[in-house]
Amino acid sequence: MHFKNLLKVSCFILLSLFSLQSMAQTVVTGKVTDSKDGSGIPGASVVAKGTTVGTVTDVNGNFRLSVASSVTTLSVSYVGYTTKDVTLTGAPLNIALDPTSTSLNEVLVIGYGTVRKKDATGAVVKVNAGDFVQGVTTNPLQQLQGQAPGVVITTSSGDPNDAPTVRVRGTTSLSGGNDPLYVIDGVAGADIRSVAPSDIESFTIEKDASAAAIYGSRAAGGVILVTTKQGKAGKSQVTFNSYVASESPEHLIKFMDRNQYLSAYQDFYGHAMPTGTSTTSDQGANTDWFREITRTGFTHNENLALSGGTEQGHYRASVAYTDQDGIAINSGRKDLYGRFNFDQKTLDNKLLITMNVSGSQTNSLFTDKNAFLNAAAVPSVIGTMDPVNAGYYQYINNTQENNPIPQLVYLTNIGRQDRLTGNLKMDFNPIKQITISPYANASHGVNVTNIYYPPAVALSPVGGLLNAVGDQFGYTPQLSNHGDVDKGSSDYTNKTYGATVAYKDEFGKLRLSALGGYEFNSFDYSGFRVGAHDFNDIYLPDENIGSANSISTADIGSDRGGYQLKSWFGRAELNWNDKYYLTGNVRYDWSNKLGLNNQSGVFPSIDAAWVISNEDFMKGVSWISSLKLRGGYGQIGNQDVIGPYLSQFLFSSGRLYYNGSLGQFVSSSSPVQNQNANLRWQVNTTTNVAVDFSLFNSRLTGSLDVYSEKTNHLLFTYTVPTGSTFFVNTIVANIGSMSNKGFELSLNYKILSKSDLTWTAGGNFNVNRNKIVSLSGQFAGLDFNVTQANVGSTGGLGISGQISQIGYLKVGYPIGTLLLPEYAGKDANGNQQFWKYNADGSRTAVTDVSLLNYADDGSTQDRKFYTTDPKFTYGLSTSLTYKQFDFSIFARGQYGSKGFNETYMDYTSLAKLGTYSVLADASKLGIKSSSEPSNYWLQGTSFLKIQSVNLGYSLKINQNRYIDKLHFYVAGNNLYTFTSYKGIDPELTTAGGQTGIDSRQLYPRSRQLSFGVNLTLK
């Protein structure tokens, strides 16, 4: 009996202990995320409600907490977010917190890490998928256009195969390397067109040196970090997005139609234009040549993605396809993308493995843009078809013009580009405070081109209808007119491996984080081309090169090269009580691109921030939700402007010569480039001061940045004397300097925020002042005193030599400065006049430009300098949701800019009637002399573009077993441009020496109308 009672008591104690043990080991897991973008919130507090038991989330927002079985609710909080109570369900929790100050609590992807925007100290801006430009976006950069202050994306061509020009806070180099560094899911230097626009979750732009210094010599043009969409914990999800669009020219220049042309001819010459079959007579046609070579194009896009995951791992796989017709006949582009993103935790959540693999293939049908020049030149009274030889296109050869249609119809100019990228990263936490992250990635690409010219006799019995075009190596062949082929191939392989060690900890009110790392990059490339001629007039697009009758050494070329970049880098961040922040970055780069005496460089930066709104004296200021002052200083380099062998003494093979001792012809070699052992990186030094604010309970948010940037050791090509030191009369040296100064303002306002109605508006305003500070200095004992240099020119019938040289680099002036004669009106006979200045300061109107003094420095005043850059650029947007409807409109523009209208200069003169086309405005302008470059053709290029308008509707899906979301929309892109500019498009190129000059070979931009659907399956 005693034993039996003892056994009962023992069993009761054991059961009680087991019960207590069970309560102590009830484990709750989950993830705390931002309700807007789904990003994890590190450092969030998770507490069992009514107790003191709690934990904080890790760097990815995940948590693991043991609680008593009696606990039913968790309280989750984080600074800047609304506290949320969550009921335990027994399953892993996904807790989304609502920001109380959304714009200041975003998670920003930065170099080798992340940071919340409220903790950021540098000039960093994030653009989320919800803010992207909607509608037809075949290039990822179109989604970003006009959305980020200080980032100017210029689309000066409508060709699907052309890339926009991107400038982050202006132009910083004279020799190239102005494009930003693209980092896609941690892969630096990735091709931005290798990722499908629909796969992108966000862009993060690092604009100043203090933010971008961690990337060292690759970040002079700024850094754009691209984050692709990832899987989320929970049930698997299938998404399908698709749109179809029509495209047509947004604007074309008006030339005289048949009636206008014949009337103007009668007025100018005093008699009717002769009729006949020649190309200088009236053939009875009324041809709109631009309409003949353009069309309504169609674009369609499909994207299918499968995603999902658990608390331990996530995955997302996607495939996308875009087929875009160009608005020019026989032009277009097709892109196929595939991407797989995966991450998995293991070793009790101490190891996170992340893997991304992506591939893409682009098939291009290229356009010879000279077709647009020819379309402008040929009169409307000339027909497209040969009036004598039926069935053939007409052969036109009046010095400057050709029939543009055969060049687009018969010329085969195709290319294919294959890209494959993979990256692997492991984040290991041996202890809570330390993360060790080795990583590796590689990219490989192959580009194949094929240009085929049919035999001339197969196209016309009169003459060759086709003109030679340059291939990917820049080589333009001499055509045999008996069938010609130009084939080429190039490939690249980029490899990166490295490791970082990160440390994070808290000491009372002090938060400390530090990161150190090493990285090795190798870049290798190769290519070849071969041309073949004369295939016995056989019309076969896929000619066998071996059957050609003519292949010369000039038709064969190849190249191979590469370089390496080794780097050590570090970052330290201090945060005292969420009030005072200090961040320091440093990177050491070594590259064999550079001269032997300057192969390494150190790029440091430092930032500080003060969150004024967290001070005790601000507690009573209720209308300020958040107020932060920040500033930074740093240096970054520019290695992209330097070719791998630019510092070395180079030879090139030349002509054959007869070697008497050998009794045969041998190839000669001659120097083509001088050695420069002192060649070094250009260095950009920037200072940035800014304020971030959130007002009126976060209804109004924004930021204001003021910056100053100077580029030193500017690369430029100088003339040197040949002799014992130099074997070639030019050398590229680091001598000059350039500056960019400006400010950026961005604002976002929640106008209405109700349960079934929201209305928001936003905008950004940007001012940048570029100036060339110096082009002079010393090199190898030589003094270079350069105050200006010609870099750009215009063209036209009879315009060449010094008269055509209008684009200049000028000390004290910005990039895009033009040097032009001053227009003095017309004389009584309709001849253009120009002001010629005399020694005493008086001036005389002359009609002969050869009488002007064309001194490059403009000192005679016969030519004056004019700037073309805008006074400011801006973007405006508003979005509205009402129940299931959503509407958005986005516009962007610039003000105070100018452009030289080459087309107007070349086709305004009435003296061209009878041979060339003339603008519809020509009779009104009344210019009867040949056109010459002057400031008369300098026109204002200020504009406001209605970039996109979007109207959508989401169907109500009530407890459908399969469909989670179904959304339809219609959209318009590049709908209308408000401008006084008379050219095709006021958005002119900002690249190279042609900045500010509107070329006649411009592929018109298109207006796009689309219909799309977004479908999400459960």
Side-chain angles (χ1 to χ4, degrees):
M1 183 72 178
H2 178 73
F3 176 77
K4 190 178 290 186
N5 290 333
L6 181 63
L7 183 62
K8 288 180 179 179
V9 171
S10 300
C11 289
F12 175 77
I13 293 172
L14 287 172
L15 287 171
S16 298
L17 290 173
F18 181 78
S19 177
L20 290 171
Q21 179 77 0
S22 298
M23 287 189 293
Q25 291 185 348
T26 299
V27 177
V28 181
T29 61
K31 185 173 184 178
V32 180
T33 61
D34 187 306
S35 63
K36 180 179 179 182
D37 60 12
S39 58
I41 300 177
S45 174
V46 183
V47 178
K49 194 166 184 179
T51 74
T52 58
V53 177
T55 186
V56 294
T57 57
D58 63 17
V59 293
N60 297 309
N62 298 306
F63 69 89
R64 182 183 181 90
L65 178 65
S66 297
V67 299
S69 60
S70 59
V71 173
T72 60
T73 306
L74 296 182
S75 179
V76 184
S77 62
Y78 189 75
V79 176
Y81 287 82
T82 302
T83 299
K84 177 177 286 188
D85 291 341
V86 182
T87 302
L88 300 184
T89 62
L93 301 174
N94 194 352
I95 306 165
L97 296 185
D98 296 321
T100 56
S101 178
T102 304
S103 66
L104 297 181
N105 284 278
E106 293 179 295
V107 173
L108 304 178
V109 177
I110 59 174
Y112 307 97
T114 60
V115 66
R116 304 207 67 79
K117 185 174 181 180
K118 77 180 192 68
D119 300 327
T121 53
V124 182
V125 62
K126 182 179 181 181
V127 180
N128 293 301
D131 300 318
F132 289 172
V133 175
Q134 303 299 308
V136 179
T137 52
T138 56
N139 186 315
L141 293 171
Q142 293 171 333
Q143 299 178 134
L144 182 60
Q145 197 166 30
Q147 296 293 328
V151 182
V152 178
I153 301 175
T154 303
T155 306
S156 58
S157 168
D159 191 337
N161 296 295
D162 283 350
T165 301
V166 183
R167 294 292 179 264
V168 179
R169 291 186 169 177
T171 299
T172 61
S173 175
L174 300 179
S175 305
N178 287 295
D179 294 329
L181 172 70
Y182 297 103
V183 183
I184 301 177
D185 288 338
V187 179
D191 184 351
I192 188 62
R193 295 211 72 169
S194 67
V195 58
S198 52
D199 281 340
I200 296 177
E201 181 68 29
S202 67
F203 294 95
T204 303
I205 303 97
E206 298 180 339
K207 297 184 289 186
D208 68 339
S210 61
I214 196 73
Y215 287 107
S217 64
R218 307 175 72 182
V223 180
I224 296 181
L225 300 107
V226 179
T227 301
T228 62
K229 296 175 180 177
Q230 310 291 319
K232 292 179 172 60
K235 192 175 180 180
S236 296
Q237 194 174 68
V238 178
T239 59
F240 176 75
N241 302 308
S242 178
Y243 65 77
V244 60
S246 66
E247 302 186 37
S248 58
E250 193 263 332
H251 176 69
L252 295 173
I253 298 177
K254 297 295 184 181
F255 286 81
M256 287 186 176
D257 61 21
R258 171 181 175 78
N259 292 333
Q260 292 171 321
Y261 197 88
L262 293 178
S263 176
Y265 187 100
Q266 175 76 45
D267 293 341
F268 184 77
Y269 291 106
H271 60 80
M273 186 176 184
T275 59
T277 59
S278 75
T279 56
T280 56
S281 60
D282 174 16
Q283 294 183 351
N286 187 19
T287 308
D288 186 332
W289 287 97
F290 277 99
R291 295 295 179 188
E292 291 290 335
I293 64 171
T294 58
R295 64 183 176 184
T296 297
F298 291 94
T299 298
H300 65 88
N301 169 270
E302 294 78 36
N303 177 276
L304 178 66
L306 173 65
S307 63
T310 65
E311 292 302 320
Q312 298 299 109
H314 313 87
Y315 66 89
R316 187 178 188 272
S318 66
V319 61
Y321 179 73
T322 302
D323 186 347
Q324 182 180 15
D325 292 337
I327 58 173
I329 58 175
N330 208 25
S331 68
R333 179 185 176 108
K334 299 177 181 180
D335 290 286
L336 176 65
Y337 307 92
R339 177 171 291 272
F340 179 68
N341 296 339
F342 172 79
D343 65 80
Q344 179 67 46
K345 292 181 181 178
T346 185
L347 300 181
D348 293 330
N349 294 335
K350 290 186 176 182
L351 178 63
L352 173 65
I353 301 173
T354 303
M355 180 177 66
N356 302 301
V357 179
S358 64
S360 65
Q361 183 181 92
T362 298
N363 287 279
S364 298
L365 194 55
F366 296 108
T367 300
D368 179 14
K369 296 182 178 62
N370 283 314
F372 294 100
L373 185 152
N374 289 320
V378 183
S380 56
V381 295
I382 304 299
T384 61
M385 307 303 293
D386 193 326
V388 177
N389 301 286
Y392 293 97
Y393 283 108
Q394 183 163 200
Y395 175 72
I396 304 171
N397 187 15
N398 294 332
T399 306
Q400 189 179 307
E401 60 186 340
N402 298 97
N403 192 332
I405 302 176
Q407 191 77 359
L408 299 181
V409 172
Y410 292 132
L411 178 66
T412 299
N413 189 352
I414 58 176
R416 190 189 78 242
Q417 187 173 13
D418 301 313
R419 314 175 191 89
L420 180 64
T421 300
N423 66 299
L424 176 66
K425 183 183 180 185
M426 293 180 285
D427 296 301
F428 178 62
N429 296 99
I431 61 175
K432 179 182 177 181
Q433 295 86 354
I434 295 178
T435 304
I436 303 171
S437 304
Y439 59 90
N441 60 69
S443 301
H444 180 68
V446 177
N447 187 22
V448 179
T449 60
N450 180 62
I451 306 175
Y452 173 70
Y453 307 84
V457 67
L459 308 183
S460 171
V462 179
L465 294 177
L466 303 182
N467 296 313
V469 298
D471 62 17
Q472 63 169 331
F473 289 82
Y475 176 72
T476 303
Q478 293 290 325
L479 300 185
S480 69
N481 290 326
H482 298 288
D484 302 87
V485 172
D486 193 312
K487 294 180 180 288
S489 177
S490 62
D491 66 88
Y492 68 87
T493 301
N494 302 334
K495 301 176 183 177
T496 301
Y497 64 82
T500 63
V501 178
Y503 173 82
K504 290 186 177 182
D505 207 349
E506 295 185 19
F507 305 91
K509 295 182 179 181
L510 175 66
R511 293 181 185 177
L512 170 66
S513 65
L515 177 141
Y518 168 80
E519 186 173 275
F520 173 82
N521 291 271
S522 67
F523 309 87
D524 298 286
Y525 61 88
S526 64
F528 79 92
R529 62 159 298 276
V530 59
H533 312 281
D534 190 356
F535 291 86
N536 298 317
D537 291 334
I538 300 174
Y539 194 156
L540 292 174
D542 295 318
E543 298 279 15
N544 176 8
I545 291 179
S547 65
N549 292 318
S550 174
I551 299 179
S552 68
T553 55
D555 294 315
I556 303 173
S558 65
D559 68 341
R560 184 177 182 179
Y563 61 96
Q564 296 179 347
L565 178 67
K566 302 176 184 179
S567 309
W568 289 261
F569 51 88
R571 176 171 57 228
E573 299 170 283
L574 297 175
N575 172 358
W576 178 263
N577 200 25
D578 289 334
K579 294 181 182 179
Y580 314 109
Y581 296 83
L582 185 66
T583 303
N585 293 279
V586 65
R587 181 166 179 133
Y588 170 88
D589 279 345
W590 175 93
S591 174
N592 58 1
K593 268 188 175 186
L594 305 173
L596 292 175
N597 298 332
N598 286 302
Q599 290 193 323
S600 63
V602 177
F603 306 98
S605 74
I606 188 168
D607 311 80
W610 175 27
V611 183
I612 304 171
S613 55
N614 286 349
E615 295 288 356
D616 292 340
F617 61 79
M618 293 293 293
K619 289 183 178 179
V621 187
S622 60
W623 61 276
I624 297 180
S625 308
S626 178
L627 181 64
K628 179 172 71 174
L629 181 67
R630 55 183 167 84
Y633 169 88
Q635 291 184 332
I636 46 180
N638 190 340
Q639 71 155 355
D640 291 336
V641 69
I642 302 171
Y645 306 103
L646 191 60
S647 68
Q648 299 183 21
F649 186 37
L650 299 184
F651 284 83
S652 178
S653 59
R655 296 179 178 274
L656 297 176
Y657 74 95
Y658 185 77
N659 187 314
S661 61
L662 297 178
Q664 62 184 22
F665 284 93
V666 296
S667 178
S668 64
S669 296
S670 59
V672 294
Q673 179 178 284
N674 289 309
Q675 181 183 12
N676 183 358
N678 294 312
L679 191 71
R680 60 176 297 173
W681 281 303
Q682 295 180 169
V683 177
N684 293 12
T685 302
T686 70
T687 302
N688 192 91
V689 178
V691 59
D692 301 323
F693 53 88
S694 177
L695 310 176
F696 311 117
N697 197 25
S698 302
R699 293 189 67 179
L700 176 64
T701 61
S703 63
L704 173 66
D705 285 71
V706 180
Y707 63 89
S708 175
E709 180 175 18
K710 187 174 182 181
T711 304
N712 291 311
H713 312 300
L714 201 62
L715 279 174
F716 194 63
T717 302
Y718 293 88
T719 302
V720 294
T722 57
S724 58
T725 303
F726 302 107
F727 296 90
V728 184
N729 66 351
T730 61
I731 192 166
V732 178
N734 302 92
I735 292 180
S737 59
M738 181 195 306
S739 69
N740 284 276
K741 298 179 180 180
F743 70 89
E744 305 154 354
L745 174 66
S746 64
L747 294 171
N748 291 281
Y749 186 63
K750 298 177 183 178
I751 302 172
L752 290 173
S753 182
K754 297 183 178 181
S755 59
D756 60 353
L757 175 64
T758 63
W759 183 14
T760 62
N764 62 79
F765 180 84
N766 316 278
V767 173
N768 183 77
R769 294 290 178 264
N770 172 269
K771 183 172 71 172
I772 298 173
V773 178
S774 174
L775 294 174
S776 300
Q778 289 186 332
F779 176 79
L782 297 175
D783 290 322
F784 295 101
N785 184 22
V786 180
T787 58
Q788 70 283 318
N790 172 242
V791 291
S793 61
T794 183
L797 190 64
I799 299 174
S800 61
Q802 201 171 28
I803 294 176
S804 68
Q805 297 172 359
I806 65 171
Y808 276 80
L809 299 176
K810 174 69 174 175
V811 173
Y813 287 76
I815 299 287
T817 294
L818 306 181
L819 183 58
L820 297 165
E822 189 177 0
Y823 187 67
K826 304 189 300 288
D827 66 10
N829 297 318
N831 299 312
Q832 291 182 92
Q833 298 183 109
F834 313 93
W835 290 117
K836 178 173 176 55
Y837 285 80
N838 304 312
D840 59 0
S842 62
R843 61 183 187 178
T844 306
V846 298
T847 58
D848 186 355
V849 292
S850 65
L851 298 175
L852 303 179
N853 188 323
Y854 272 79
D856 276 357
D857 60 1
S859 59
T860 65
Q861 298 189 65
D862 286 4
R863 288 201 298 172
K864 295 184 177 180
F865 288 103
Y866 299 89
T867 60
T868 62
D869 56 330
K871 296 186 185 310
F872 60 83
T873 61
Y874 59 94
L876 303 169
S877 63
T878 187
S879 60
L880 180 73
T881 63
Y882 176 67
K883 294 184 177 180
Q884 281 75 53
F885 289 95
D886 59 272
F887 173 78
S888 65
I889 184 170
F890 170 63
R892 63 184 180 87
Q894 65 184 32
Y895 176 78
S897 55
K898 295 180 180 179
F900 185 84
N901 194 332
E902 192 174 273
T903 301
Y904 252 67
M905 177 193 69
D906 207 23
Y907 301 108
T908 301
S909 172
L910 296 172
K912 292 188 174 182
L913 288 165
T915 305
Y916 300 102
S917 183
V918 176
L919 289 165
D921 289 346
S923 295
K924 180 176 62 178
L925 298 175
I927 296 175
K928 298 181 179 180
S929 60
S930 60
S931 298
E932 304 289 356
S934 73
N935 67 338
Y936 182 70
W937 312 113
L938 198 61
Q939 300 174 354
T941 54
S942 300
F943 67 82
L944 171 63
K945 284 181 179 287
I946 307 301
Q947 187 67 33
S948 70
V949 176
N950 187 86
L951 176 63
Y953 181 78
S954 296
L955 290 179
K956 279 189 175 180
I957 306 297
N958 295 321
Q959 298 181 342
N960 188 284
R961 293 179 57 189
Y962 305 108
I963 300 176
D964 185 54
K965 177 183 177 182
L966 183 57
H967 179 258
F968 298 96
Y969 67 89
V970 290
N973 294 80
N974 197 37
L975 290 176
Y976 191 78
T977 302
F978 296 93
T979 184
S980 62
Y981 184 63
K982 297 184 179 297
I984 287 182
D985 197 307
E987 192 170 15
L988 307 184
T989 180
T990 57
Q994 293 300 108
T995 298
I997 302 175
D998 190 359
S999 170
R1000 295 167 296 163
Q1001 294 100 323
L1002 184 64
Y1003 191 119
R1005 293 195 62 196
S1006 61
R1007 177 187 292 113
Q1008 301 158 327
L1009 302 175
S1010 60
F1011 169 78
V1013 59
N1014 308 121
L1015 172 66
T1016 302
L1017 303 178
K1018 295 181 179 178

